[in-house]
């Protein structure tokens, strides 16, 4: 941060320095600071695609989902194969419930970067919502093999098993996820539901813990 700020003292219109500072601020959850840098970058270079992408990313993290989609549309129109924009687009469309559009974006990302856990998770979750359980299971399988301890991957695997009414497998996945994210009420709730369906007496304790 200090180096980029020093660079901006020399050249206040240095767009890459502004975007680097915005990236650092996003990573540190300082979204107002990130917005300030992106706005300055766009003022200096209004058509810079990286700046517009970063602006859409900030909008999405601020829960301004429709504005994020509109901002990102200009990026995807100019650079339809830009993977970070496709991944963000998939996230936005998933959030808005436009599942087929989300899958189209995410499919390109998964094909280009098959080891991207977030993309695989989100695509599997999209297919799960579309009711295509076998597709979701196939999509998630490589991620589950490569990152069997990742709570997000385990949760999606548990949700697929739950939808298939394989309650024992669902409980196993949610139990592993809960061990890795013990403070997650959402995961504890999923575990309670799976155990309840299985007839496991620990279900109420899980649901009470989630409520707490």
């Amino acid at each position: 941060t200090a180096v980029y700020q020093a660079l901006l003292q020399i050249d206040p219109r240095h767009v890459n320095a502004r975007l680097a500072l915005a990236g650092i601020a996003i990573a540190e959850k300082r979204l107002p600071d990130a917005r300030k840098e992106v706005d300055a970058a766009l003022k200096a270079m209004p058509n810079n695609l990286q700046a517009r992408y970063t602006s859409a990313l900030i909008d999405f993290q601020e829960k301004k989902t429709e504005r994020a989609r509109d901002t990102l549309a200009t990026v995807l129109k100019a650079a339809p194969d830009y993977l970070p924009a496709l991944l963000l687009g998939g996230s936005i469309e998933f959030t808005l419930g436009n599942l087929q559009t989300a899958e189209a974006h995410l499919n390109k990302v998964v094909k280009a970067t098959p080891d991207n856990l977030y993309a695989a998770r989100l695509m599997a979750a999209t297919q799960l919502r579309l009711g295509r359980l076998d597709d979701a299971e196939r999509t998630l399988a490589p991620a589950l093999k490569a990152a069997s301890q990742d709570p997000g991957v385990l949760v999606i695997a548990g949700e697929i098993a739950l939808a298939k009414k394989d309650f024992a497998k669902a409980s196993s996945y949610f139990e592993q996820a809960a061990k890795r994210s013990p403070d997650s009420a959402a995961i504890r709730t999923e575990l309670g539901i799976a155990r309840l369906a299985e007839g496991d007496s620990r279900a109420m304790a899980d649901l009470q813990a989630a409520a707490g």
Side-chain angles (χ1 to χ4, degrees):
T1 299
V3 171
Y4 287 124
Q5 287 173 341
L7 177 56
L8 288 172
Q9 292 295 317
I10 300 167
D11 180 7
R13 292 174 60 83
H14 198 296
V15 170
N16 287 343
R18 294 280 182 196
L19 295 177
L21 284 171
I24 293 169
I26 290 170
E28 295 179 344
K29 309 296 184 188
R30 295 183 288 107
L31 297 183
D33 292 339
R35 173 72 65 193
K36 179 182 174 183
E37 298 298 347
V38 168
D39 286 349
L42 286 169
K43 186 176 180 181
M45 197 176 290
N47 295 320
N48 185 285
L49 292 181
Q50 184 66 30
R52 289 191 177 192
Y53 160 76
T54 308
S55 180
L57 180 60
I58 296 167
D59 285 336
F60 184 60
Q61 293 200 4
E62 289 179 338
K63 313 296 184 189
K64 299 170 183 173
T65 313
E66 291 185 358
R67 191 166 95 173
R69 179 188 59 189
D70 293 343
T71 302
L72 192 69
T74 61
V75 180
L76 287 171
K77 185 176 180 181
D81 296 321
Y82 181 48
L83 293 179
L86 285 168
L87 182 55
L88 178 58
S91 302
I92 290 169
E93 299 296 350
F94 179 84
T95 302
L96 292 172
N98 302 322
L99 300 178
Q100 291 179 335
T101 306
E103 186 181 19
H105 288 328
L106 294 166
N107 190 43
K108 293 179 182 179
V109 180
V110 171
K111 282 184 176 179
T113 56
D115 57 346
N116 187 319
L117 285 183
Y118 178 74
R121 258 171 44 197
L122 194 55
M123 186 163 157
T126 301
Q127 292 167 332
L128 174 60
R129 278 202 192 179
L130 286 166
R132 296 189 354 243
L133 305 183
D134 291 338
D135 287 344
E137 198 165 44
R138 278 192 294 269
T139 297
L140 194 67
L144 192 58
K145 186 176 180 181
S148 60
Q149 307 306 309
D150 181 88
V153 171
L154 289 166
V155 165
I156 301 299
E159 289 176 349
I160 294 169
L162 198 59
K164 286 190 160 192
K165 302 191 185 311
D166 189 339
F167 303 123
K169 186 184 283 188
S171 295
S172 174
Y173 284 133
F174 290 136
E175 188 173 355
Q176 292 175 65
K179 285 178 181 176
R180 283 151 189 81
S181 294
D183 296 327
S184 171
I187 294 175
R188 185 64 65 178
T189 301
E190 296 264 34
L191 177 58
I193 291 169
R195 282 178 169 169
L196 197 64
E198 199 182 359
D200 191 319
S201 61
R202 294 173 292 176
M204 289 308 297
D206 289 318
L207 295 172
Q208 288 169 350

